[in-house]
Amino acid sequence: MNSHAKLFSIGTFDFKLHHLLIIGILSLSFSISFLIRSQPASYGWELNEFDPFFNYRATQYVVENGINSYFEWNDDLSWYPHGRDVSQTSQVMLHMTAATTYWIFGGGGSLYDFTILFPVIFGSLTAVVVFALVRVIGGTTAGLFASLLFSISLPIIIRGQIGWFKSEPLGLFFSVLAIYLLLSGIKSKNPKISIPKIISSGIFMILGLSAWGGDQFFIIPIGIFFLTLPFLRTDHKFLLWAIPLFTSSAVITSLGFERLGTNFVLGLGGLSLIIPTVFLVSCIVIQNKSNERSKNRNGLIFLAAILIIGPSFLIVNADSQFIPLPSHRYLNAINPFLITSDPLVDSVSEHATTTIGQSFLFHSILMIFAGLGIWMILKNSNKSKFIENDMVSFALIMGLIGVYVSSAFVRLEVFASISIIILSSIGLSVLIKELFSHTTEIKLSKNIFIKSSFLIGIIVLLTVPVVFPANGNVFSTSNNPPTILNGGSTYRISTTDWTDTLEWIKNNTEKDAVIATWWDYGYWIQTKAERASLADNSTLIDSIIKKIASAFLSSPDNGAKMLLEMESDYVVIFIVGQRLGIDNGDQPLYTLGGGGDESKKQWFMRIASEPLPKYLHSDGVSGTDYFWNETLLGKMTPFTPLGYVNLANNQQSQAYQPGFTGIYTKDIKFPEDGDGPLRLVYSSPSFDTEKGGQVIGVFVYEINKDYAPLN
């Protein structure tokens, strides 16, 4: 059947068979993406991870109080007693977009439910925008491949699942849309089309950056792309107004956001656009004043001068207050070999360095197709004009920059995914075109066999990583419970321990009560329990986090005193363990570890600048006698080591030995009716379970303000 056969017309547009095919594949991409992202809902209908709870509360504030009030809001539940200037320190566009779409599409339903679905909708819609982007670069076939590959990309899926009301899904949507509009605009020959697209591109790029600061890494390849345009395109008059139009629209839009403003214009993002734009204009002027033989040489000499002078200027003025340097996270992404001495940064799991094994798990066969894509692009770009030279330049720049920056943090693997998807899709598209163009003269039966075998082989290669390995494919890896249902532990279970605890705090503590806890749980307490916390996941004030860590590692008397000085009323800790199938007489036995404070305590020590050997044995996990007997955290942990066991040979020991695992019994050191510095007023349900299984224990201690130390 002729794929270009007309089915019907709408006005001047002829709807053809291949349009139906495109709609079908895009619908399939959206549906696959939606279904995979929705898997965690089987465990429970909750927001996922930590930041989404603050983002929900901020969106709720907009919905209930209006946009103007939001920009005047100082959140007094955050960083007590300092508070938090929300519009200055958070992802404004995420909150505004969610509130606006809720007003339009919410239909009077629950805002909480709406924000749970929000990332799934925008994440799945991005698969359609990716099609449009890659179609501009490499054609319709490449775009369709890209849409399908995006819908099953593991790094993108796990950072955009149901309940993941965080920055990435909306930030990716806006930024991919911005890049599409930019490339489509500069590719168009009609100013009436290119001007609105280019202006919209600059606006959407900043909207994406306001939703997710990580979108800085989409701006960098755009800036590098601008450096290449004077050498790749001959329509210099068009470039002289088109590129400055994009940059100016982005810069002007950024001034409308408190968090961006001059920090963007004079920072990494703004300079990544402004300097290449100034170069492009200057280079074109130089080329126009040069003769035909020397214009490219003169332009390259000027580019070399810029590449030497620019970084030198930034280094010399690194300490200048007029040139704000990006945070260590962004500097580390630019220079993956940069080492941080900040344990608070290192303690965040998403800041872990990407390993080769993780990269292969995330991308597998696509890494090969991406390499094939680079080869096919370079091989065919000039010969058969599959892709125009400027689009070749952008695809290669985006691919190389994306893979490069993702080597710094696991979180940035989303950029490697976008890059590899673009290159892989183009490679597959060109490969298929090569096959079909070189088999037309072969005998019909042989032709069909060759094409069918090739297509089956491609399908198998792309399908295998989706299914295997059984415990590491996109379906199994993304099928995890929302974090609040397992506490962020390593157990794939769903419990009510955290939700019950937060509900208890909400109903049984004073409305002006202040909760001391590790910063991981701050957003949950503020949103679900509606109580103020000393610190939260924004990690805005390092000194407070360090003080909490110091209090936890101080003696019980001194630690409680420090928390009282910080105006705390209650302390919450989270302990994860496993009840063993055997008991010690009437006492159940436990192992500890799995993602609670018992697994994070080494970070408490590093952040508090305390020596680890004082508190931990040589395995870096098991607490010493000093930790258990002399620290507030040791005393708050309602377990005591009974002995140690080598699980390989069941050898037992009263004292710690390398390779042995601690065995613990329940031991509440600060009972509710006690007269110590703390009183345990609540323990979550799984702590009292009588059967073997995981303990997702949340413990609420009231600080005894009448306690008087004996000495």
Side-chain angles (χ1 to χ4, degrees):
M1 183 180 292
N2 184 5
S3 64
H4 293 281
K6 185 174 74 172
L7 298 179
F8 57 87
S9 297
I10 302 176
T12 59
F13 179 78
D14 294 333
F15 192 90
K16 300 179 180 180
L17 185 61
H18 74 274
H19 293 138
L20 190 63
L21 177 64
I22 292 171
I23 292 172
I25 293 177
L26 292 181
S27 300
L28 180 64
S29 298
F30 180 92
S31 301
I32 292 172
S33 179
F34 193 99
L35 291 172
I36 295 176
R37 292 168 187 266
S38 299
Q39 287 186 106
S42 63
Y43 293 93
W45 191 257
E46 293 283 357
L47 288 171
N48 195 359
E49 224 256 354
F50 303 98
D51 291 8
F53 287 85
F54 167 75
N55 291 326
Y56 159 72
R57 196 160 67 88
T59 304
Q60 183 183 42
Y61 194 92
V62 177
V63 170
E64 294 179 354
N65 299 280
I67 293 174
N68 291 335
S69 295
Y70 171 88
F71 285 100
E72 299 172 356
W73 180 29
N74 185 72
D75 180 13
D76 56 6
L77 295 186
S78 179
W79 297 96
Y80 183 87
H82 306 277
R84 173 182 180 178
D85 185 339
V86 174
S87 62
Q88 178 67 37
T89 60
S90 56
Q91 294 78 17
V92 172
M93 205 57 217
L94 174 61
H95 307 152
M96 292 299 154
T97 303
T100 303
T101 51
Y102 175 73
W103 283 327
I104 298 172
F105 303 108
S110 164
L111 177 63
Y112 191 79
D113 292 345
F114 184 85
T115 55
I116 290 174
L117 274 174
F118 184 91
V120 180
I121 299 294
F122 274 92
S124 301
L125 284 174
T126 307
V128 179
V129 184
V130 165
F131 158 76
L133 168 61
V134 180
R135 182 175 182 269
V136 168
I137 298 173
T140 301
T141 303
L144 293 174
F145 271 122
S147 180
L148 287 169
L149 294 177
F150 181 89
S151 70
I152 57 172
S153 172
L154 181 56
I156 293 172
I157 292 291
I158 61 178
R159 302 201 72 81
Q161 296 171 287
I162 195 166
W164 190 274
F165 186 44
K166 289 183 66 171
S167 307
E168 292 93 336
L170 184 63
L172 282 174
F173 176 81
F174 279 146
S175 293
V176 174
L177 178 60
I179 297 173
Y180 157 70
L181 290 170
L182 173 63
L183 297 184
S184 179
I186 65 175
K187 198 173 181 180
S188 174
K189 305 299 182 182
N190 187 347
K192 292 182 180 180
I193 296 175
S194 61
I195 289 175
K197 282 188 174 182
I198 290 171
I199 293 175
S200 299
S201 174
I203 294 171
F204 275 113
M205 184 58 68
I206 298 304
L207 297 185
L209 188 59
S210 176
W212 182 32
D215 280 348
Q216 297 258 23
F217 299 113
F218 282 117
I219 294 176
I220 293 173
I222 289 175
I224 297 174
F225 174 57
F226 288 171
L227 296 177
T228 69
L229 287 178
F231 307 101
L232 298 176
R233 293 184 55 147
T234 58
D235 52 345
H236 286 178
K237 289 183 179 180
F238 172 79
L239 296 177
L240 279 174
W241 63 261
I243 303 307
L245 182 62
F246 168 80
T247 300
S248 59
S249 67
V251 168
I252 292 170
T253 304
S254 72
L255 297 176
F257 293 91
E258 291 178 78
R259 193 177 185 183
L260 300 177
T262 56
N263 288 329
F264 169 78
V265 176
L266 299 176
L268 175 67
L271 293 179
S272 296
L273 292 180
I274 294 171
I275 293 175
T277 301
V278 172
F279 164 80
L280 179 140
V281 173
S282 303
C283 184
I284 289 176
V285 171
I286 291 172
Q287 288 179 326
N288 288 342
K289 292 184 178 296
S290 304
N291 59 48
E292 191 66 27
R293 293 179 60 186
S294 63
K295 67 177 186 178
N296 282 336
R297 181 200 64 192
N298 293 343
L300 290 172
I301 292 173
F302 180 57
L303 176 59
I306 291 292
L307 294 178
I308 294 172
I309 295 172
S312 300
F313 175 78
L314 293 177
I315 292 172
V316 170
N317 293 276
D319 297 328
S320 171
Q321 60 178 328
F322 301 107
I323 302 179
L325 284 177
S327 67
H328 183 275
R329 289 180 297 168
Y330 296 108
L331 292 174
N332 194 186
I334 296 171
N335 178 11
F337 299 102
L338 189 63
I339 298 174
T340 175
S341 58
D342 186 352
L344 180 56
V345 173
D346 292 340
S347 68
V348 182
S349 59
E350 64 187 17
H351 293 166
T353 301
T354 310
T355 65
I356 294 177
Q358 287 172 323
S359 293
F360 186 78
L361 172 66
F362 289 149
H363 310 297
S364 60
I365 194 65
L366 291 188
M367 298 171 73
I368 298 174
F369 281 119
L372 179 64
I374 294 174
W375 179 68
M376 296 296 287
I377 288 170
L378 296 176
K379 175 177 177 290
N380 291 287
S381 58
N382 291 325
K383 184 173 64 177
S384 52
K385 289 294 179 184
F386 279 129
I387 308 174
E388 295 177 9
N389 286 339
D390 55 347
M391 297 298 106
V392 168
S393 173
F394 181 82
L396 295 177
I397 290 169
M398 186 69 200
L400 296 175
I401 294 296
V403 172
Y404 176 78
V405 300
S406 69
S407 64
F409 298 140
V410 172
R411 183 179 187 181
L412 297 182
E413 278 293 322
V414 293
F415 294 103
S417 297
I418 295 291
S419 302
I420 289 174
I421 285 170
I422 292 174
L423 293 173
S424 299
S425 302
I426 294 173
L428 286 167
S429 172
V430 174
L431 198 62
I432 288 175
K433 288 179 180 178
E434 289 272 4
L435 174 72
F436 278 73
S437 63
H438 286 87
T439 56
T440 53
E441 298 178 359
I442 302 176
K443 188 177 178 181
L444 181 61
S445 59
K446 189 175 181 180
N447 187 359
I448 294 173
F449 175 77
I450 292 173
K451 291 179 180 179
S452 300
S453 300
F454 173 80
L455 292 175
I456 291 172
I458 292 293
I459 292 171
V460 170
L461 287 174
L462 293 176
T463 303
V464 168
V466 177
V467 180
F468 298 101
N471 295 322
N473 60 54
V474 65
F475 297 102
S476 61
T477 304
S478 60
N479 188 20
N480 287 301
T483 307
I484 200 168
L485 297 181
N486 74 345
S489 70
T490 57
Y491 298 130
R492 189 176 288 188
I493 60 173
S494 176
T495 78
T496 61
D497 285 87
W498 265 108
T499 53
D500 287 351
T501 301
L502 296 169
E503 187 69 18
W504 185 92
I505 293 173
K506 179 180 178 180
N507 295 326
N508 294 276
T509 64
E510 306 81 8
K511 288 190 176 181
D512 61 351
V514 178
I515 311 297
T517 187
W518 194 237
W519 60 268
D520 285 3
Y521 321 120
Y523 284 159
W524 290 354
I525 289 169
Q526 295 161 17
T527 303
K528 285 282 194 176
E530 299 178 7
R531 295 296 182 267
S533 67
L534 296 181
D536 60 43
N537 310 69
S538 60
T539 63
L540 290 174
I541 309 177
D542 292 2
S543 59
I544 292 179
I545 296 175
K546 183 173 182 178
K547 198 168 183 179
I548 294 172
S550 297
F552 281 6
L553 298 173
S554 297
S555 67
D557 289 354
N558 289 337
K561 181 181 177 182
M562 292 172 67
L563 295 176
L564 279 175
E565 290 173 349
M566 299 173 77
E567 303 182 50
S568 306
D569 300 296
Y570 296 87
V571 187
V572 172
I573 66 167
F574 173 48
I575 304 296
V576 176
Q578 175 82 38
R579 176 167 174 164
L580 302 178
I582 55 175
D583 292 342
N584 180 37
D586 294 332
Q587 291 183 309
L589 301 179
Y590 300 84
T591 58
L592 298 184
D597 291 341
E598 83 295 330
S599 300
K600 302 172 185 176
K601 60 184 181 293
Q602 62 269 29
W603 291 112
F604 300 0
M605 298 160 196
R606 291 187 174 98
I607 291 170
S609 301
E610 291 284 348
L612 269 65
K614 180 179 179 180
Y615 304 94
L616 301 176
H617 288 298
S618 59
D619 62 355
V621 176
S622 302
T624 61
D625 289 343
Y626 184 89
F627 169 79
W628 287 108
N629 299 323
E630 305 296 334
T631 69
L632 181 63
L633 180 60
K635 289 290 189 179
M636 285 194 294
T637 304
F639 296 94
T640 289
L642 179 67
Y644 299 86
V645 174
N646 187 324
L647 298 178
N649 55 24
N650 291 325
Q651 184 180 354
Q652 300 180 17
S653 173
Q654 286 293 113
Y656 172 79
Q657 294 186 41
F660 281 56
T661 299
I663 303 297
Y664 301 84
T665 58
K666 282 186 180 180
D667 184 12
I668 299 174
K669 295 107 173 180
F670 296 133
E672 185 173 6
D673 57 356
D675 56 0
L678 303 179
R679 298 189 183 107
L680 180 63
V681 293
Y682 180 84
S683 59
S684 63
S686 70
F687 179 63
D688 297 317
T689 183
E690 296 181 356
K691 298 180 180 179
Q694 293 84 8
V695 174
I696 308 294
V698 191
F699 305 94
V700 182
Y701 287 92
E702 182 180 13
I703 301 177
N704 184 0
K705 297 178 181 178
D706 298 324
Y707 174 71
L710 296 177
N711 48 29

